[in-house]
Amino acid sequence: MIPEKALEEARQSLREKLQKRIDDGDRTAVMQFASYHAMLLEEADFETAYVWYSIATAIGLPGALELRDDARENVDDEKIAELQVEAGTIFETLDVASN
């Protein structure tokens, strides 16, 4: 019912808002950003979702571990180590761990 262009613009706007919240230190946005990649894109990006659910798990957000494991089921085994390194690198740059 929604034109594809409008839907894509809404997705992009949401992505930008979530990224800004993360950049501003809002730890709850981490889980929402992961869910965005797993559930709201036209085609799910489970690799990115896995990275962000891993970060959410590291900062202790409730339910993150289970969602990370669900996303992992859709990621090739060969990619897991690479994605874990990526998650660690991103985690080190964030200011959400202590908030």
Side-chain angles (χ1 to χ4, degrees):
M1 300 291 264
I2 300 174
E4 185 58 37
K5 184 175 189 230
L7 189 55
E8 188 54 40
E9 288 172 359
R11 285 183 185 123
Q12 183 60 30
S13 176
L14 177 59
R15 184 191 190 294
E16 291 169 3
K17 287 176 184 173
L18 289 170
Q19 185 66 59
K20 180 170 181 355
R21 286 177 51 208
I22 291 168
D23 293 345
D24 290 344
D26 183 351
R27 61 191 286 135
T28 62
V30 172
M31 189 89 113
Q32 294 167 354
F33 197 60
S35 296
Y36 165 85
H37 286 91
M39 295 181 242
L40 296 179
L41 296 177
E42 184 174 355
E43 184 175 325
D45 179 354
F46 289 109
E47 290 181 4
T48 302
Y50 178 83
V51 167
W52 286 94
Y53 283 134
S54 295
I55 294 167
T57 298
I59 60 177
L61 295 178
L65 179 62
E66 295 81 5
L67 291 169
R68 184 205 61 192
D69 292 347
D70 288 347
R72 193 219 182 288
E73 292 176 12
N74 296 289
V75 175
D76 291 334
D77 290 340
E78 309 83 53
K79 295 284 291 183
I80 295 300
E82 177 184 327
L83 296 174
Q84 289 173 339
V85 169
E86 182 179 348
T89 301
I90 293 170
F91 177 79
E92 291 298 319
T93 68
L94 296 178
D95 189 27
V96 296
S98 61
N99 295 341

